[in-house]
Amino acid sequence: MELTEEIRDALKTAVQKLGSQAEVSRHSGLHEVYVGRYLSGKNRTISDSSAAKLIHMLQSLNINIPIREPRNVIPNSPELRCFVQNAMIDAGIQYPALARASNMKPDTLRRLLKGELSTWFPGNLAALLTQLGQGFDTAPLTDSERELLHPAHADGGIPTRPCWVFTMAQAAEFKDIYVPVEPESTWGCEVIPITDGRDCIAFRVEGGSMEPKFYAGDIVICDKHAELVNSKPVVCKIEDEVVCKIYSRIGKTVLLQSVHPDGRNYEVKATDLDWCIRVIRFQRDE
């Protein structure tokens, strides 16, 4: 989820009410380091699990903020929770087994069914309904929400959705990666199926600077809103160039390092990055 100015201002108000960032950390369950990053603007996004903790704390302090839900999600309504819980009872399936089969953590499923998380990712919900033997048409959803479940795959197949694959040169034309990117037909983009309900975009690796982790021609799939983690791969734009590198941040400095010893490395200010998104997995043609 995007860390908007409204959320950041609400977090500052929470610090004032509680007296310190340490108290905010204690009340929310968030690490104090990340509380500081959210306040300073070093982190522009927040994971769904961390966002849920933050929002719960702000609400407990009567601090209201406008929540901008991520795109392509399904509201976690009481009717939907009741439907899933009844289906679990009928099927005799418990949290751990159902969560694993649905590509989820057991705690995430538990919190969804308790109403602590406000949205489902379509891919997870589609897999869950399939495991429970429930047709998508029977779930208490609107027509637009049901379309996100990809009913063509409701016969027991794996729910998928299309993800565009861009070359690094094409990606250099993006002014802002966080808005929807609609590929022009002249770009000649390919499409791959993914099971994620997250806001993903994919790139084809060029050159050998990331070998042997990634090879030229590999497709790296990125989550636009995943938190950046040190020592993990990213795709980022520096001036007019887009690169795939290993990310590390020390204070205001970002290190972008190649895996191959002959690859080019970068040391830049965090503010010099036009955008930077985390690689969550990759595909390779065998």
Side-chain angles (χ1 to χ4, degrees), residues 37 40-44 228-231 246-256 268-271 273:
R37 287 178 174 270
S40 66
K42 290 180 179 178
N43 282 33
R44 295 188 297 177
L228 300 177
V229 178
N230 281 354
S231 302
I246 300 298
Y247 172 94
S248 294
R249 178 163 178 167
I250 304 173
K252 297 181 179 181
T253 301
V254 171
L255 304 177
L256 300 169
V268 299
K269 294 180 181 178
T271 53
L273 296 177

Side-chain angles (χ1 to χ4, degrees), residues 27-260:
H27 277 72
S28 65
L30 297 169
H31 196 287
E32 188 176 350
V33 171
Y34 279 101
V35 173
R37 287 178 174 270
Y38 300 149
L39 286 167
S40 66
K42 290 180 179 178
N43 282 33
R44 295 188 297 177
T45 60
I46 182 171
S47 68
D48 286 344
S49 58
S50 296
K53 294 178 182 179
L54 176 59
I55 292 168
H56 180 72
M57 180 207 65
L58 293 173
Q59 291 174 340
S60 71
L61 296 173
N62 295 317
I63 302 173
N64 296 317
I65 56 173
I67 303 301
R68 301 175 186 173
E69 297 292 359
R71 291 179 292 276
N72 296 328
V73 293
I74 295 174
N76 185 23
S77 67
E79 295 80 11
L80 181 56
R81 292 197 296 274
C82 183
F83 177 86
V84 171
Q85 289 166 343
N86 288 338
M88 287 175 63
I89 294 172
D90 293 340
I93 300 179
Q94 300 298 315
Y95 281 110
L98 182 58
R100 285 193 296 270
S102 306
N103 238 4
M104 303 168 65
K105 295 180 180 178
D107 185 59
T108 299
L109 179 57
R110 178 188 64 79
R111 295 180 66 198
L112 278 163
L113 296 181
K114 288 181 67 176
E116 294 178 359
L117 300 179
S118 61
T119 58
W120 295 80
F121 286 128
N124 295 137
L125 180 58
L128 181 143
L129 293 175
T130 300
Q131 290 297 319
L132 292 174
Q134 299 294 323
F136 296 167
D137 291 338
T138 63
L141 302 169
T142 65
D143 289 342
S144 60
E145 291 166 356
R146 193 169 286 109
E147 286 178 3
L148 294 176
L149 298 181
H150 309 288
H153 300 276
D155 57 356
I158 299 175
T160 62
R161 66 185 185 86
C163 180
W164 292 100
V165 181
F166 294 87
T167 67
M168 296 301 188
Q170 291 166 346
E173 298 185 25
F174 302 157
K175 295 181 180 179
D176 185 356
I177 197 66
Y178 299 103
V179 300
V181 178
E182 298 295 338
E184 301 173 12
S185 58
T186 54
W187 285 7
C189 294
E190 61 185 298
V191 179
I192 59 172
I194 61 172
T195 57
D196 281 277
R198 291 179 283 185
D199 190 4
C200 293
I201 190 170
F203 306 92
R204 190 169 285 280
V205 175
E206 298 174 358
S209 67
M210 292 296 285
E211 295 180 2
K213 189 174 186 65
F214 305 132
Y215 289 88
D218 286 352
I219 295 173
V220 290
I221 301 169
C222 302
D223 180 347
K224 293 183 184 180
H225 304 288
E227 290 190 37
L228 300 177
V229 178
N230 281 354
S231 302
K232 297 293 184 181
V234 298
V235 174
C236 58
K237 182 179 180 182
I238 311 170
E239 295 181 350
D240 294 326
E241 184 179 11
V242 173
V243 297
C244 180
K245 300 293 178 184
I246 300 298
Y247 172 94
S248 294
R249 178 163 178 167
I250 304 173
K252 297 181 179 181
T253 301
V254 171
L255 304 177
L256 300 169
Q257 297 176 300
S258 298
V259 174
H260 194 281

